[in-house]
Amino acid sequence: MASIYLQTFGCQMNTADSNGLAHQAWSMGCTFTDDPAQADIIIVNTCAIREKAETRVYGRLGQLKPFKDSKPETKVLVAGCLAEKDRNVMRQKAPFIDALLGPREYNRFKQLLADWGVPTDLAPPETEFTMPSPEDDPGHDGPAQFSHLRALVNITRGCEKFCTYCIVPYTRGPLESLDPDDIESQIHREIRCGAKEITLLGQNVNSYYHAPTGLTFAQLLRRIGRIEGLERLTFLTSHPKDFGPDVVDALAELPNISPRLHLPLQSASDSVLKAMARLYTIDEYLEKVAYFRERLPRWALTTDLIVGYPTETEEDFLATLALVERGTFEYAFIFAYSPRAGTPAATMSPQVDPAEKIRRLQVLNTAQNEVMRRFNESFIGETVRVLTQGPSKKDPARMAGKSGHNATVIWPRDPATEHRAFVDVAVDQAFQWGLAGTAV
Ligand code: 5AD
Ligand code: SF4
């Protein structure tokens, strides 16, 4: 029986893929360990979205090398987006690796395990499958026994938008919409296993289209919204071009939908948006947001922003800053542009000076933090429903969880509420990072 160490970098798509790999290995009778020294097989599921992600992956591979050196029969598999992107240089940079599998090659995983001596004829174990290892950056996330409350379910794979800065279409391939019946049965399965919150996943969920039945994303949402036992539903991520009023109307009908929408803008400058090939103008984006705000008041709008994209001028940047300062987004993920070899933007000129990118990043972050703090403060005096994650990492005397808006919420730990999936918390304090209160 083989023992596996599995570590995941990157986005939720990768977490979902790791889940799938772990499930396949489990069905072949493998067990899991969080100690690489104990492992027969080491798997690192990698990310290539920005240079920083790559650096962290290579750093981790360097740390794992001694385990292979001291026990050469240990097999090392590098999976994920960096395995795909660096296919030809990975073996040079990390020669101790035994195999590479890109995100579109996981159908070869079982065969690989078989090649490595894992028997294929064992019956699946009698114990329930649970996701073995923590994510790379669990943040405030609690211990593993709570992770089954939240489940990730893919509805699309790949992306064919080809935004000029992005590596994903190259690593994950063209768009594919999954069968609605399969999606629904996976959700049923997750609920049976205890999931309270389902996140529908796709690089661009709005372009979901099931050709045989003509089902759109809005229709899929309505169908999923009726599933019994589904207490919280959310989805990631949307492309503004395909995000239409039909989706907003569907969201307005769903009782269990979390009040948050992630709609990556990237930049508020039309010339930068055009250079990025984002396929919308800032006015078109704001028009969609206006309808969303009208139909879904008090939802949180979250976004992604890139500063220092090639050709971005001070004026372009100030347009993005002004939009952020106006409180357009409750939360935002802000990134300094990172050139990805093979993408059009990497060779575009002029590139923005790295120090200037960092300055713009800091200015924008400061502005957004202020908006975030004000939004969090608006919950003081209210009671929010929190999905428990477990004892807080920073202070085990407190519990931590997520509100429907996805704010981190902490409250004093007590035996009465400790094992509940949902806790209502009366908020009495707000911070930039989240909310604090007491269980009611
Ligand atoms: N540099 C910086 N940020 C990037 N993103 C994607 N590619 C890059 C890049 N090359 C950001 C975008 C996207 C988020 C997932 O990552 O904002 O929405
Ligand atoms: Fe996810 Fe993109 Fe990183 Fe791949 S490159 S793991 S799709 S964030």
Side-chain angles (χ1 to χ4, degrees), residues 405-416:
H405 291 92
N406 215 26
T408 297
V409 183
I410 60 167
W411 65 97
R413 188 172 177 175
D414 83 273

Side-chain angles (χ1 to χ4, degrees), residues 30 56 69 96 129 221 256 351:
C30 295
R56 292 179 64 210
D69 289 343
F96 60 96
F129 171 73
L221 272 177
N256 298 339
Q351 297 278 327

